[in-house]
């Protein structure tokens, strides 16, 4: 932590920065960095959670270089127990129903979007903590396939489409209602 020395004017209670070496009437004020963004705070919390999971792993991992996609997948499955999203089993009568009419006993799981965002934050945190980007266990093919399978199953289970919206090409012209009426060659009745 950096410190700034400031001379305190006792009568007006103003703090005046001082470059003098006189320390008799000087207060040390801690200089703090600006607060972290919401994303940075979440990334730090996610990283700490993952590190705690690895420390509690049996056998415990002594180094992040020993961490592989297998550990990441185990972590994601472990997090499923804390989920809040109802994911219907295939034998449930509400499988594929968007808004089921009554409750069922299907488990609550982590939503695909939450897992996808979590992996993105952990991938960035791994590299920030000195991990090799080419050896990043959060960016492996196995993790990407797992996320794709979770997305696919949850979309079928909950009756939600996760299809990407297609962008219009630049050549397509947007036609207004007024243009359609003025260009209409059929006689009005």
């Amino acid at each position: 932590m950096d410190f700034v020395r400031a001379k305190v004017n006792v009568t007006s209670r103003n703090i005046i920065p001082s470059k003098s070496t006189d320390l008799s009437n000087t207060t040390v004020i801690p200089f703090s960095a600006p607060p972290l963004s919401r994303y940075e705070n979440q990334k730090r919390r996610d990283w700490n959670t993952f590190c705690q999971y690895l420390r509690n792993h049996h056998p415990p991992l002594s180094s992040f270089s020993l961490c592989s996609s297998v550990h990441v997948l185990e972590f994601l499955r472990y997090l499923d127990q804390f989920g809040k999203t109802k994911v219907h089993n295939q034998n449930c009568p509400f499988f594929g129903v968007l808004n089921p009419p009554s409750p069922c006993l299907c488990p609550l799981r982590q939503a695909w979007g939450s897992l996808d965002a979590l992996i993105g934050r952990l991938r960035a945190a791994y590299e920030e903590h000195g991990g090799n980007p080419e050896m990043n266990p959060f960016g492996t093919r196995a993790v990407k396939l797992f996320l794709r399978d979770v997305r696919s199953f949850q979309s079928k289970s909950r009756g939600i489409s996760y299809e990407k919206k297609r962008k219009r090409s630049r050549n397509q012209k947007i036609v207004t209602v007024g243009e359609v009426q003025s260009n209409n060659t059929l006689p009005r009745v």
Side-chain angles (χ1 to χ4, degrees), residues 125-165:
Y126 179 84
E127 293 174 12
E128 284 179 8
H129 286 86
N132 185 358
E134 289 82 26
M135 302 298 291
N136 194 330
F138 301 101
T140 61
R141 188 170 193 270
V143 172
K144 290 177 185 175
L145 288 174
F146 175 80
L147 288 174
R148 187 177 69 189
D149 290 344
V150 168
R151 181 181 70 179
S152 172
F153 183 75
Q154 286 187 5
S155 68
K156 291 175 188 171
S157 165
R158 300 178 63 219
I160 298 173
S161 174
Y162 285 118
E163 298 297 322
K164 288 186 176 180
K165 294 181 181 175

Side-chain angles (χ1 to χ4, degrees), residues 100-112:
S102 63
C104 66
L105 299 175
C106 293
L108 295 174
R109 298 228 170 123
Q110 289 287 342
W112 165 77

Side-chain angles (χ1 to χ4, degrees), residues 4 25 42 45 54 61 66 76 88 94 99 101 106 121 128 144-145 147 152 155 157 165 172 188:
V4 175
N25 195 14
Q42 186 66 48
R45 281 195 304 268
L54 291 180
L61 293 178
L66 300 175
L76 294 177
H88 300 288
F94 304 126
N99 295 316
C106 293
R121 290 189 300 267
E128 284 179 8
K144 290 177 185 175
L145 288 174
L147 288 174
S152 172
S155 68
S157 165
K165 294 181 181 175
Q172 283 183 335
R188 293 184 189 178

Side-chain angles (χ1 to χ4, degrees), residues 82-109:
F82 306 112
K84 298 176 184 173
T85 302
K86 179 72 77 170
V87 179
H88 300 288
N89 295 324
Q90 289 182 337
N91 57 359
C92 178
F94 304 126
F95 183 81
V97 177
L98 182 59
N99 295 316
S102 63
C104 66
L105 299 175
C106 293
L108 295 174
R109 298 228 170 123

